Amino acid sequence: MQQQHQQHQQHQLACGAKMAAYRYSRPPLLAPLLLTCVCLCGLGSVLGSKPAGVPAELPDPPGLRAADPAGKDAPAPAAAAAAAAAVVGASQPRRATGWKLSEEAACREDMSRFCPKHTWTNNLAVLECLQDRREESELAPDCNHLLWNYKLNLTTDPKFESVATEVCKSSIAEIKECNEEERGRGYLVSCLVDHRANVSDYQCNQYVTKMTSIVFSDYRLICGFMDKCRDDINRLRCGSVNVGHKDVHSQGEVISCLEKALVKEAEQQDRSRPIREECQKAILRVAELSSDDFHLDRHLFFSCRDDRERFCQNTQAGEGKVYKCLFNHKFEEAMSEKCRDALTTRQKLISQDYRVSYSLAKACKTDLRKQRCSLDTNLPRAREARLSYLLLCLEAAVHRGRPVSGECQGEMLDYRRMLMEDFSLSPEIVLHCRAEIEGHCSGLHRKGRTLHCLMRIGRGDRSATVDGVCQSALQTLIQSVDPGADYRIDRALNEACESVIQTACKHIHNGDPMILSCLMEHLYTEKMVEDCEHRLLELQYFISRDWKLDPVLYRKCQGDAARLCHTHGWNETSELMPPGAVFSCLYRHAYRSEEQGRRLSRDCKVEVQRILHQRALDVKLDPKLQKLCMTDLGKWCSEKTDAGQELECLQDHLEDLVSACREVVGNLTELESEDIQIDALLIRACEAVTQAHCHDVADIQIDTGDLMECLVQNKHQKEMNDKCSVGVTHFQLVQMKDFRFSYKFKMACKEDVLRLCPNIKKKVDVVICLSTTVKNDTLQEVREQRVSLKCRKQLRVEELEMSEDIRLEPELYDPCKSDISRLCPNVAFGNAQMIECLKEQKKQLSQRCHQRIFRLQEVEMTDPELDYQLMRVCKQMIKRFCTDADARSLLQCLKQNKNSELMDPKCKQMITKRQITQNTDYRLNPVLSKSCRADIPKFCQSILNKVTEESELEGQVIGCLKLKYADQRLSPDCEDQIRVILQESALDYRLDPQLQVHCTDEISRLCAEEAAAQEQTGQVEECLKVNLLKIKQEACKKEVLNMLKESKADIFVDPVLHTACALDLKHHCAAITPGRGRQMSCLMEALQDKRVRLQPECKKRLQDRIDMWSYAAKVAPAEGFSDLAVQVMTSPSKNYILLMIALSVCVLFLVGLLCGRITKQVTRELKDR
């Protein structure tokens, strides 16, 4: 012991000599860099807690009156008093046991100025008071020297260790490392400081805490610090603080200088002269040891003294509480820049080593061990010590449902928010994004604005682009901070979206991860504000690139992802998979059928659909889509910047996209066809019509194309607005590009397509192929249709939908584009209006368009259900009159009920239009074509020979059949159909195309008033007959004469005459069968019979007809024997003419007979000669 004591005295003398040399030499540049004394060694972890109400110092020696507590501090127990006695005795070996600093003349004046009188009796209270004074107040040099020697002796005297042994006896026994330390070398107190967290004894804890505060007042008192950092201090010129100008007790500036150099090094690309590893450890160790009490960080303490009083006056020192309070007020306007800089440096150290945060290290100590987030104590700056690693490791545990204490999660939340608020705390951001910050985001440092500015550039919302390394740094930071778990972490988002959250998401608990989901659901709605929209999309851009950043999705789908997508753990590096790859894999499996197998679990599928619905609003939220379609977006969609327009643009240009982009857009469109809710903008726009007409299918959780089919069917309801109509039409147009884009059609017909229409991709071509197959099988009356029943049903739906808009039929739309712009520029496409316009302008169409329209009309007349306008206008009339009619005979049924009093006028007008169309060409009248298939080539072949298949006949064939009807030469079935046509056209001249073609001018000149009448009752035809002599055009006159000729064959063809003679027909000709002119002949005979009295109007009309027929006979004599025979048979004087012909024949016979006898007699006489 005596030898050890001598060694200690020699050591003390050496320290004193060094101190004296330092004190009086005062080197001009490196004042405090030549000396360090052994005090605190060890670099173990300090994760302990300090009890509240720690005394300001150890009590006075025994025998003296206990000092009053300093401030709020309470006196220590008696055992600690004994320790203090020993300490003081060791400090002043030549003085009396009750020596007081207050009694020294060197410090009496300074004490009077700075320290309350009640502290004078307590040496440590006086020491703390004098060294914590304001910087601008200087101590007298002699007092400075006295205090320095007092602290130096206090921390180096071996008796100090004996005091520690006495006060901390039980704690030393509990701490194995400290119990094994060799006594007498000054290491015991150092060990206790390192293991302060494990010191359970209250007195020992106070003792260690107080000694720590003494040591940290000067870096030269920290054991080994000077030796480890001397070269770095000299190189960085951190020791330039001159003792003569600065208080020796405020050497925290040196450590602050080194700390700033350390954090700056991490932010520099060029690290040619890095701080040595052992000094880095020492710097971080000092920061760690000062983590519980901000008094121990001397630079921060002096920098933030006023700010502490301003913002954290009621915050009790210890456990890092003052640090946290100041961190929370860092961006307040009243915060001084000096304090803000010091706090930022402290935060940067925490980001490099989380143990620099006392509260975080303490709260998460157990959880780090449980979750195996192991630390390498030999590498304090290793990856495991980084704050980002700790956050990633523990966040992964939380997302996986593993238990993490609430206290630890609370601390993590604070530091995640801290990283999000200040980009400068992330050295990778400062290093790799410097150019972007200086060029575009300068001056936005506070409250996370700079980070959001970088995110906006990274998202591509500005013309500038972000370097790939900067983008990666941003993504890494977002992964560490994990704002998807709690939106409050992102202060910029929180402030921007506060009003939206209060209105739209108030039903969700504050801090719930579903708040972000709620905000996404209200994106582009009236409740969303612009600033919130921008901040939300900027954040979602990075969240969408890592599926783990959506905690709900990760929790529900981690099993499915491991099973189906072969994902790696949360702690694995993100480079293992491309951005968004896992989610792409999940949503591909989300829409698989049971037959395809390997489906997602129900909970996971719901989450995948939720996110898919939200992210489909913006192509930038689909990493794969944005990457593969970057070129095409710039080429085709640079001007499409509104919500949802970019995807629509890509779909519109699907054929023009590069193959990789076309594939990914096609896959997404295919998913939309199955689940239209993916198109959230369309769903919102169609909310009214959905509620009114499609609520049954909209409420189904799993959509299989039913909702879109319903929207198409109700596309023209009154609830349908323009946005919804445009959106539905756009989707229909996109569906035409590939039959896979129509989910119900694909599922119903995929086998039929593969079998009957291989290698056909476009939906319109597939529909034509299958329709042709169905048509051929029907015509050939095959026993079993090649197209399956379910496909035929869905094929019918697709055909009906295509008939609504000409754009849905490219084969019709493409040839007619020029005609549309020329003839129908102001007509809307929907509701088949454009098709109707082209039909009405048929004569003015280009040849190709005319041919396509004619083919369309052929199909519609064969299958009236495909005539969209007819079905729409006459929908109610079909329900009233034709409920039992076959789909292909609907038009025929409507024609039969056309003149009913219950018929809707608009429907009647539409029926008339279709009749006019049918009468222009027999091919447009399926019933007539079938009934007259033998008569047409027999009687009208000459007409057929003059025209091609592609040209219309303009009613010539039907006109030919009408003449043959008058000649009574048609087959019964054909005659019945022509009679109907004659009857209809007799009431409405527009149904006679030949009459319209040749008599348009004459009608305008002679019968304008009749033509303008709304009710068509044959008045125009009657007018032309009456004015036959005034008609100048021969072609028109011929048509009128043909009408007269036709009316002789059947009185029903002459509606005016039939109306006038209706009673007479009933009275005099009731027994006569209609047709073949029989009833007309009956009336003529009644007219000539003086015993029969006809109605005056009937008599007058009959007489007019006789005059007309007489004139017709003169103007248009019989062209042949057959014509003559017809005229005779249809003449009212038929019996008289036939009698005359018979008498003439008899006379000729008698004359012939007489002449024959005379000739025979003459011949005989000549022979006799």
mmCIF file of all heavy atoms in Angstrom, residues 215-239:
data_model
loop_
_atom_site.group_PDB
_atom_site.id
_atom_site.type_symbol
_atom_site.label_atom_id
_atom_site.label_comp_id
_atom_site.label_asym_id
_atom_site.label_seq_id
_atom_site.Cartn_x
_atom_site.Cartn_y
_atom_site.Cartn_z
ATOM 1 N N VAL A 215 -16.289 15.996 -14.201
ATOM 2 C CA VAL A 215 -15.336 15.604 -15.235
ATOM 3 C C VAL A 215 -15.674 16.240 -16.586
ATOM 4 O O VAL A 215 -14.804 16.728 -17.307
ATOM 5 C CB VAL A 215 -15.290 14.068 -15.362
ATOM 6 C CG1 VAL A 215 -14.498 13.650 -16.587
ATOM 7 C CG2 VAL A 215 -14.681 13.465 -14.106
ATOM 8 N N PHE A 216 -16.970 16.260 -16.946
ATOM 9 C CA PHE A 216 -17.367 16.723 -18.278
ATOM 10 C C PHE A 216 -17.245 18.231 -18.457
ATOM 11 O O PHE A 216 -17.473 18.754 -19.533
ATOM 12 C CB PHE A 216 -18.804 16.272 -18.588
ATOM 13 C CG PHE A 216 -18.858 14.924 -19.221
ATOM 14 C CD1 PHE A 216 -18.744 13.782 -18.435
ATOM 15 C CD2 PHE A 216 -18.973 14.781 -20.579
ATOM 16 C CE1 PHE A 216 -18.767 12.544 -19.010
ATOM 17 C CE2 PHE A 216 -18.996 13.526 -21.163
ATOM 18 C CZ PHE A 216 -18.897 12.395 -20.383
ATOM 19 N N SER A 217 -16.898 18.937 -17.396
ATOM 20 C CA SER A 217 -16.716 20.377 -17.550
ATOM 21 C C SER A 217 -15.450 20.703 -18.337
ATOM 22 O O SER A 217 -15.283 21.827 -18.806
ATOM 23 C CB SER A 217 -16.665 21.051 -16.181
ATOM 24 O OG SER A 217 -15.507 20.614 -15.473
ATOM 25 N N ASP A 218 -14.559 19.710 -18.507
ATOM 26 C CA ASP A 218 -13.317 19.959 -19.250
ATOM 27 C C ASP A 218 -12.876 18.656 -19.895
ATOM 28 O O ASP A 218 -12.683 17.655 -19.208
ATOM 29 C CB ASP A 218 -12.235 20.478 -18.300
ATOM 30 C CG ASP A 218 -11.071 21.099 -19.078
ATOM 31 O OD1 ASP A 218 -10.691 20.501 -20.098
ATOM 32 O OD2 ASP A 218 -10.589 22.144 -18.652
ATOM 33 N N TYR A 219 -12.729 18.680 -21.220
ATOM 34 C CA TYR A 219 -12.390 17.453 -21.938
ATOM 35 C C TYR A 219 -11.053 16.881 -21.483
ATOM 36 O O TYR A 219 -10.793 15.698 -21.604
ATOM 37 C CB TYR A 219 -12.349 17.721 -23.450
ATOM 38 C CG TYR A 219 -11.109 18.425 -23.926
ATOM 39 C CD1 TYR A 219 -10.032 17.712 -24.451
ATOM 40 C CD2 TYR A 219 -10.978 19.802 -23.835
ATOM 41 C CE1 TYR A 219 -8.886 18.351 -24.884
ATOM 42 C CE2 TYR A 219 -9.854 20.448 -24.266
ATOM 43 C CZ TYR A 219 -8.798 19.733 -24.800
ATOM 44 O OH TYR A 219 -7.673 20.371 -25.237
ATOM 45 N N ARG A 220 -10.154 17.740 -20.909
ATOM 46 C CA ARG A 220 -8.850 17.261 -20.484
ATOM 47 C C ARG A 220 -8.919 16.373 -19.252
ATOM 48 O O ARG A 220 -7.961 15.718 -18.896
ATOM 49 C CB ARG A 220 -7.932 18.458 -20.219
ATOM 50 C CG ARG A 220 -7.587 19.211 -21.500
ATOM 51 C CD ARG A 220 -6.946 20.541 -21.204
ATOM 52 N NE ARG A 220 -7.853 21.408 -20.445
ATOM 53 C CZ ARG A 220 -7.537 22.642 -20.077
ATOM 54 N NH1 ARG A 220 -6.355 23.141 -20.366
ATOM 55 N NH2 ARG A 220 -8.397 23.375 -19.393
ATOM 56 N N LEU A 221 -10.069 16.408 -18.593
ATOM 57 C CA LEU A 221 -10.257 15.547 -17.425
ATOM 58 C C LEU A 221 -10.785 14.164 -17.801
ATOM 59 O O LEU A 221 -10.888 13.288 -16.951
ATOM 60 C CB LEU A 221 -11.221 16.210 -16.437
ATOM 61 C CG LEU A 221 -10.787 17.575 -15.893
ATOM 62 C CD1 LEU A 221 -11.860 18.125 -14.974
ATOM 63 C CD2 LEU A 221 -9.455 17.474 -15.167
ATOM 64 N N ILE A 222 -11.206 14.005 -19.061
ATOM 65 C CA ILE A 222 -11.761 12.720 -19.514
ATOM 66 C C ILE A 222 -10.622 11.791 -19.860
ATOM 67 O O ILE A 222 -9.792 12.110 -20.709
ATOM 68 C CB ILE A 222 -12.687 12.913 -20.728
ATOM 69 C CG1 ILE A 222 -13.818 13.871 -20.368
ATOM 70 C CG2 ILE A 222 -13.228 11.584 -21.210
ATOM 71 C CD1 ILE A 222 -14.675 14.250 -21.530
ATOM 72 N N CYS A 223 -10.576 10.653 -19.209
ATOM 73 C CA CYS A 223 -9.456 9.737 -19.338
ATOM 74 C C CYS A 223 -9.227 9.302 -20.782
ATOM 75 O O CYS A 223 -10.134 8.823 -21.440
ATOM 76 C CB CYS A 223 -9.692 8.502 -18.467
ATOM 77 S SG CYS A 223 -8.417 7.256 -18.636
ATOM 78 N N GLY A 224 -8.055 9.466 -21.265
ATOM 79 C CA GLY A 224 -7.675 8.971 -22.581
ATOM 80 C C GLY A 224 -8.114 9.812 -23.745
ATOM 81 O O GLY A 224 -7.680 9.581 -24.876
ATOM 82 N N PHE A 225 -9.006 10.768 -23.541
ATOM 83 C CA PHE A 225 -9.523 11.536 -24.669
ATOM 84 C C PHE A 225 -8.413 12.308 -25.378
ATOM 85 O O PHE A 225 -8.333 12.340 -26.602
ATOM 86 C CB PHE A 225 -10.628 12.484 -24.193
ATOM 87 C CG PHE A 225 -11.307 13.220 -25.303
ATOM 88 C CD1 PHE A 225 -12.344 12.613 -25.996
ATOM 89 C CD2 PHE A 225 -10.908 14.499 -25.682
ATOM 90 C CE1 PHE A 225 -12.977 13.287 -27.032
ATOM 91 C CE2 PHE A 225 -11.527 15.154 -26.712
ATOM 92 C CZ PHE A 225 -12.575 14.553 -27.394
ATOM 93 N N MET A 226 -7.539 12.933 -24.581
ATOM 94 C CA MET A 226 -6.477 13.737 -25.171
ATOM 95 C C MET A 226 -5.514 12.865 -25.966
ATOM 96 O O MET A 226 -5.068 13.235 -27.053
ATOM 97 C CB MET A 226 -5.735 14.494 -24.058
ATOM 98 C CG MET A 226 -4.757 15.520 -24.578
ATOM 99 S SD MET A 226 -5.630 16.840 -25.438
ATOM 100 C CE MET A 226 -4.215 17.792 -26.011
ATOM 101 N N ASP A 227 -5.194 11.699 -25.417
ATOM 102 C CA ASP A 227 -4.267 10.811 -26.115
ATOM 103 C C ASP A 227 -4.843 10.333 -27.448
ATOM 104 O O ASP A 227 -4.133 10.235 -28.452
ATOM 105 C CB ASP A 227 -3.945 9.594 -25.242
ATOM 106 C CG ASP A 227 -3.154 9.992 -24.015
ATOM 107 O OD1 ASP A 227 -2.469 11.031 -24.091
ATOM 108 O OD2 ASP A 227 -3.248 9.288 -22.997
ATOM 109 N N LYS A 228 -6.115 10.035 -27.471
ATOM 110 C CA LYS A 228 -6.737 9.483 -28.679
ATOM 111 C C LYS A 228 -7.021 10.538 -29.741
ATOM 112 O O LYS A 228 -7.069 10.228 -30.933
ATOM 113 C CB LYS A 228 -8.054 8.779 -28.307
ATOM 114 C CG LYS A 228 -7.828 7.544 -27.445
ATOM 115 C CD LYS A 228 -9.144 6.964 -26.962
ATOM 116 C CE LYS A 228 -8.886 5.760 -26.061
ATOM 117 N NZ LYS A 228 -10.145 5.220 -25.489
ATOM 118 N N CYS A 229 -7.226 11.772 -29.327
ATOM 119 C CA CYS A 229 -7.663 12.795 -30.286
ATOM 120 C C CYS A 229 -6.669 13.938 -30.468
ATOM 121 O O CYS A 229 -6.997 14.938 -31.113
ATOM 122 C CB CYS A 229 -9.025 13.356 -29.866
ATOM 123 S SG CYS A 229 -10.376 12.175 -29.972
ATOM 124 N N ARG A 230 -5.443 13.810 -29.883
ATOM 125 C CA ARG A 230 -4.513 14.932 -29.955
ATOM 126 C C ARG A 230 -4.203 15.293 -31.409
ATOM 127 O O ARG A 230 -4.263 16.468 -31.795
ATOM 128 C CB ARG A 230 -3.212 14.594 -29.213
ATOM 129 C CG ARG A 230 -2.182 15.733 -29.283
ATOM 130 C CD ARG A 230 -0.889 15.373 -28.597
ATOM 131 N NE ARG A 230 -1.030 15.349 -27.154
ATOM 132 C CZ ARG A 230 -1.061 14.258 -26.398
ATOM 133 N NH1 ARG A 230 -0.960 13.070 -26.972
ATOM 134 N NH2 ARG A 230 -1.197 14.340 -25.087
ATOM 135 N N ASP A 231 -3.880 14.312 -32.221
ATOM 136 C CA ASP A 231 -3.529 14.599 -33.619
ATOM 137 C C ASP A 231 -4.695 15.222 -34.375
ATOM 138 O O ASP A 231 -4.511 16.147 -35.179
ATOM 139 C CB ASP A 231 -3.081 13.323 -34.323
ATOM 140 C CG ASP A 231 -1.776 12.791 -33.755
ATOM 141 O OD1 ASP A 231 -1.053 13.597 -33.122
ATOM 142 O OD2 ASP A 231 -1.501 11.590 -33.935
ATOM 143 N N ASP A 232 -5.905 14.716 -34.141
ATOM 144 C CA ASP A 232 -7.077 15.259 -34.840
ATOM 145 C C ASP A 232 -7.385 16.670 -34.369
ATOM 146 O O ASP A 232 -7.791 17.527 -35.156
ATOM 147 C CB ASP A 232 -8.289 14.346 -34.601
ATOM 148 C CG ASP A 232 -8.084 12.970 -35.206
ATOM 149 O OD1 ASP A 232 -8.054 12.870 -36.446
ATOM 150 O OD2 ASP A 232 -7.951 12.010 -34.443
ATOM 151 N N ILE A 233 -7.174 16.944 -33.073
ATOM 152 C CA ILE A 233 -7.405 18.299 -32.560
ATOM 153 C C ILE A 233 -6.439 19.274 -33.212
ATOM 154 O O ILE A 233 -6.827 20.374 -33.644
ATOM 155 C CB ILE A 233 -7.245 18.313 -31.022
ATOM 156 C CG1 ILE A 233 -8.387 17.535 -30.358
ATOM 157 C CG2 ILE A 233 -7.223 19.743 -30.499
ATOM 158 C CD1 ILE A 233 -8.227 17.350 -28.868
ATOM 159 N N ASN A 234 -5.192 18.859 -33.329
ATOM 160 C CA ASN A 234 -4.208 19.740 -33.954
ATOM 161 C C ASN A 234 -4.494 19.936 -35.437
ATOM 162 O O ASN A 234 -4.404 21.047 -35.966
ATOM 163 C CB ASN A 234 -2.802 19.153 -33.768
ATOM 164 C CG ASN A 234 -2.362 19.205 -32.309
ATOM 165 O OD1 ASN A 234 -2.797 20.083 -31.565
ATOM 166 N ND2 ASN A 234 -1.506 18.272 -31.901
ATOM 167 N N ARG A 235 -4.840 18.818 -36.122
ATOM 168 C CA ARG A 235 -5.066 18.911 -37.570
ATOM 169 C C ARG A 235 -6.297 19.746 -37.895
ATOM 170 O O ARG A 235 -6.309 20.527 -38.858
ATOM 171 C CB ARG A 235 -5.216 17.502 -38.154
ATOM 172 C CG ARG A 235 -5.480 17.475 -39.651
ATOM 173 C CD ARG A 235 -5.410 16.045 -40.181
ATOM 174 N NE ARG A 235 -6.332 15.164 -39.505
ATOM 175 C CZ ARG A 235 -7.619 15.076 -39.820
ATOM 176 N NH1 ARG A 235 -8.117 15.838 -40.783
ATOM 177 N NH2 ARG A 235 -8.404 14.247 -39.171
ATOM 178 N N LEU A 236 -7.338 19.589 -37.107
ATOM 179 C CA LEU A 236 -8.587 20.317 -37.349
ATOM 180 C C LEU A 236 -8.614 21.686 -36.682
ATOM 181 O O LEU A 236 -9.605 22.414 -36.808
ATOM 182 C CB LEU A 236 -9.778 19.480 -36.849
ATOM 183 C CG LEU A 236 -9.980 18.137 -37.551
ATOM 184 C CD1 LEU A 236 -10.995 17.292 -36.789
ATOM 185 C CD2 LEU A 236 -10.430 18.342 -38.992
ATOM 186 N N ARG A 237 -7.504 21.994 -35.935
ATOM 187 C CA ARG A 237 -7.392 23.272 -35.240
ATOM 188 C C ARG A 237 -8.545 23.466 -34.253
ATOM 189 O O ARG A 237 -9.075 24.570 -34.081
ATOM 190 C CB ARG A 237 -7.337 24.439 -36.226
ATOM 191 C CG ARG A 237 -6.208 24.322 -37.237
ATOM 192 C CD ARG A 237 -6.169 25.504 -38.184
ATOM 193 N NE ARG A 237 -5.808 26.723 -37.510
ATOM 194 C CZ ARG A 237 -4.563 27.108 -37.218
ATOM 195 N NH1 ARG A 237 -3.544 26.327 -37.533
ATOM 196 N NH2 ARG A 237 -4.316 28.257 -36.607
ATOM 197 N N CYS A 238 -8.965 22.377 -33.653
ATOM 198 C CA CYS A 238 -10.042 22.454 -32.666
ATOM 199 C C CYS A 238 -9.538 22.919 -31.309
ATOM 200 O O CYS A 238 -10.341 23.236 -30.430
ATOM 201 C CB CYS A 238 -10.715 21.087 -32.510
ATOM 202 S SG CYS A 238 -11.690 20.607 -33.941
ATOM 203 N N GLY A 239 -8.210 22.941 -31.088
ATOM 204 C CA GLY A 239 -7.681 23.362 -29.799
ATOM 205 C C GLY A 239 -7.238 24.802 -29.780
ATOM 206 O O GLY A 239 -6.452 25.216 -28.944
#
